[in-house]
Amino acid sequence: MVEGVLERITYANEENGYTVARVDTGRGGGDLLTVVGALLGAQVGESLRMEGRWGSHAQYGKQFTVENYTTILPATIQGIRRYLGSGLIKGIGPVMADRITTHFGVDTLDIIEKEPKRLVEVPGLGPKRTKMIAAAWEEQKAIKEVMVFLQGVGVSTSIAVRIYKKYGDASISVVKNEPYRLAADVWGIGFLTADRIAQSVGIPHDSPERVKAGLQYALSQSTDQGNCYLPEERLIADAVKLLQVDTGLVIDCLAELAKEEEGVVRETVPGPSGEEDVTAVYLVPFHRAELSLSAQLLRLLRTPEDRMPAFQDVDWSKALSWLATRTGADLAPEQKQAVKLALTQKAAVLTGGPGCGKSFTVRSIVELARAKKAKVVLAAPTGRAAKRLAELTGAEASTVHRLLELKPGGDAAYDRDRPLDADLVVVDEASMLDLLLANKLVKAVAPGAHLLFVGDVDQLPSVGAGEVLRDMLSEQSPVPAVRLTHIFRQAQQSGVVTNAHRINSGVPPITQGLSDFFLFVEDETEDAGRVTVDVAAHRIPAKFGLDPRRDVQVLAPMHRGPAGAGNLNGLLQQAITPGRPDVPEKRFGGRVFRVGDKVTQIRNNYEKGQNGVFNGTVGVVTSLDSDEQRLTVLTDEDEEIPYDFDELDELAHAYAVTIHRSQGSEYPAVVIPVTTGAWMMLQRNLLYTAVTRAKKLVVLVGSRKALGQAVRTVSAGRRCTALDFRLAGGRGSAPGSIRGSASGSTPGNFDRSNE
């Protein structure tokens, strides 16, 4: 047995709790002992009594392997001061710990435990802070009890804290009796972790509860990959492989799930690429959303009401002449068709690539609508895209989440019963709209109002499930649409625009002789990663005068690997925001957060900020308070969001992001590693999306072989979605009778002919 004070944690694996730490055993001389093992829940500054065995490491020498430990409260003033100043108790940092121990001496911990009101005797501690410290102390004690239990079933520290925050005193009961609830209720716990816990508490391998949870997990995984459903045969095969149980048991449990109200829904739909019918299995929320979205779109199209009736019999030649005097330019023929469509049809789609005038068309639509005193509401899926839309139109624009005022749990303040007060709703970057968000949005559009989706259908589909924009543009969809194809002369002078269209057509980009599009050839993935960092942090700022944090964005095809976003973030942070004695920082898991860091939110959190903070929101760390154990991020939407230190698993660095995460954003300059290390991810729409994120400058770093692979490879197959089928009249919808028709339309200007 060894006793000592935990001085520092050298390494901690968040998944299994394996920790390498240094402990002061009080022998003097400044020697610290290396201890290894599952030190779940142990905090720097705590005194530990550890049981285990002695051993030796070839590189690190003598060390102690911990098999289990208990926390013992420190008895000396110095130990108490260090314990309290470690950040363990919210509201007490090193300075306050010194004041408290100076005042109460060795009785300090007894006072906090039994007479916390006496803390007000300490200079600088008022009743509010005293109350907070007492509550934090109690929570720590309760968490410790839960930790001891969870340690026995192999749960990591961060997960254990989250379980406690979700269930409080009921934590141990839930873990013992309903472990699969954890996967649904606690962010960061998937089926695999819940399954490991379930086996530790004795739930049988072939338990129906386990199989049903596994089926729902397999469906949930497929929605993370963009599918709204899975064909039944594929789901059964996936579940058998995941669970290692008999096929018959999986089939029986699937049948039971289909009978449960919040289980799954089975329905026959056409196959993903138009092949023969399949039995689709949906998680309930996705089935409801698909039915609802198709019904709401058809409702909008068919309603006789019109909140902008003035445009049904307007003199278009006069209106467009007036518009040209307002905007200073004439519209091209296909732009005119789009303007007419948006102002005469209740729902419509405007699509097209860069340089084809989508933005100018949107501005023209907004100008004409306002001229007729229409209430126009503008929205986009991300803060950056909303800002750009506002700058373009001169009108206020917000994210879709803010527009709908989404509440904790994901419910919206605006819906069918309380629609938005808008005559025209314009949604930019609509390729990013997933099924669930699109459904919430369309539900909130009032009958008779006009809804215009604007986006580039050739970009990557949404991160969330569905292909909403593509489904609305399908051959059988009744939603009218215009595709802009003419590249304007000014845009033709841009290497970024020219090459985006070349890539989209399957032609390699021009990489020589352009002032805004470059290729640095590096055949080795490691070299490409190193050069990517140098280009983003040093070369672009030096040559073009751009700020490496604000103006330059590295976009990687994948997260892992030497040229992946994860590794590049560490290198870019060292280059752009290095550690300095005067810059506060906080270590969390394997990351270090510093004031000045560029960060991104990696989950939807409806509890944060004014209307929630959503996956993909980017910001900069503006302050870090060790006493309050809080870090503050100023987001792209100019909102200050506080994060407690135990919430930092919701943040990741954003000097480099995956191309998927960059959707809807636009940056002055982008740097894209294109390497053979990302071979499986190299697809045309991925590279096209990355290139179209740049306003002024694109630098590719990598091999010509990898670049060729990306340009040649068309993404495999469609996602599993039946929205196009439903819009065309499948399952619960009458056949669509409306096809977009703008007066004066000419053949070829619409994706689909009129019926």
Side-chain angles (χ1 to χ4, degrees), residues 63-217:
Q63 62 183 31
F64 188 75
T65 300
V66 181
E67 285 162 3
N68 56 64
Y69 79 93
T70 53
T71 303
I72 48 175
L73 293 176
T76 66
I77 291 178
Q78 184 187 357
I80 293 168
R81 185 183 297 123
R82 187 189 290 155
Y83 177 67
L84 288 179
S86 66
L88 180 72
I89 306 300
K90 197 169 182 179
I92 305 180
V95 174
M96 193 51 70
D98 193 42
R99 280 194 211 159
I100 295 171
T101 49
T102 300
H103 189 82
F104 293 116
V106 290
D107 296 329
T108 296
L109 298 181
D110 275 344
I111 297 290
I112 296 174
E113 170 87 30
K114 296 169 184 164
E115 301 177 84
K117 288 181 181 174
R118 283 191 59 196
L119 287 170
V120 293
E121 296 171 19
V122 178
L125 274 184
K128 187 178 175 186
R129 193 116 165 253
T130 297
K131 201 172 176 184
M132 186 173 86
I133 290 168
W137 178 265
E138 287 302 315
E139 184 175 85
Q140 273 301 322
K141 275 171 53 188
I143 287 176
K144 276 280 183 287
E145 288 174 31
V146 174
M147 287 285 189
V148 170
F149 170 73
L150 293 176
Q151 186 173 4
V153 293
V155 178
S156 74
T157 313
S158 58
I159 296 289
V161 170
R162 259 186 246 143
I163 290 172
Y164 179 79
K165 283 196 162 183
K166 178 71 182 174
Y167 303 116
D169 294 340
S171 297
I172 292 173
S173 171
V174 170
V175 170
K176 273 184 178 173
N177 303 313
E178 305 172 88
Y180 291 106
R181 256 182 77 186
L182 301 174
D185 292 353
V186 182
W187 183 74
I189 297 187
F191 171 80
L192 300 179
T193 303
D195 197 35
R196 197 172 68 236
I197 295 168
Q199 288 179 44
S200 298
V201 297
I203 289 179
H205 185 72
D206 59 355
S207 143
E209 181 191 1
R210 176 175 184 263
V211 177
K212 285 194 227 174
L215 281 161
Q216 289 181 306
Y217 169 72

Side-chain angles (χ1 to χ4, degrees), residues 226-414:
N227 297 308
C228 298
Y229 69 83
L230 273 184
E232 185 175 48
E233 288 180 10
R234 189 167 137 199
L235 172 61
I236 291 167
D238 286 355
V240 168
K241 188 176 174 184
L242 169 74
L243 298 164
Q244 298 292 299
V245 294
D246 291 341
T247 305
L249 178 60
V250 172
I251 291 170
D252 290 345
C253 289
L254 181 57
E256 282 181 40
L257 262 182
K259 291 175 189 168
E260 293 174 13
E261 194 174 328
E262 291 300 320
V264 298
V265 176
R266 290 196 287 196
E267 185 182 348
T268 303
V269 301
S273 300
E275 65 258 25
E276 60 189 48
D277 287 0
V278 297
T279 300
V281 185
Y282 288 83
L283 289 172
V284 171
F286 292 91
H287 186 257
R288 283 183 187 147
E290 205 171 76
L291 283 177
S292 170
L293 177 56
S294 57
Q296 303 294 346
L297 281 167
L298 293 170
R299 171 182 66 86
L300 282 179
L301 283 166
R302 292 170 180 164
T303 182
E305 296 173 56
D306 194 342
R307 291 182 61 148
M308 295 199 297
F311 289 105
Q312 295 303 332
D313 53 6
V314 75
D315 183 329
W316 283 106
S317 61
K318 274 188 184 174
L320 294 171
S321 295
W322 174 86
L323 182 64
T325 62
R326 288 280 294 178
T327 60
D330 283 318
L331 292 168
E334 55 189 15
Q335 290 178 305
K336 290 178 182 176
Q337 302 308 323
V339 169
K340 293 175 187 177
L341 195 68
L343 297 172
T344 57
Q345 296 288 345
K346 312 292 173 39
V349 175
L350 170 61
T351 189
C356 293
K358 285 199 307 295
S359 297
F360 188 70
T361 306
V362 170
R363 184 182 154 199
S364 301
I365 290 164
V366 171
E367 286 278 3
L368 278 173
R370 279 169 157 175
K372 293 292 186 184
K373 302 289 187 283
K375 287 182 182 172
V376 181
V377 166
L378 306 172
T382 67
R384 276 179 181 251
K387 257 186 181 172
R388 198 171 68 243
L389 187 59
E391 287 161 8
L392 166 78
T393 57
E396 194 178 325
S398 69
T399 62
V400 177
H401 297 96
R402 279 180 185 277
L403 174 67
L404 300 177
E405 292 180 17
L406 289 181
K407 304 291 185 216
D411 292 329
Y414 293 94

Side-chain angles (χ1 to χ4, degrees), residues 66 268 286 319 464 475 572 602 636 691 732:
V66 181
T268 303
F286 292 91
E475 280 297 325
L572 286 161
I602 58 173
D636 272 351
V691 168

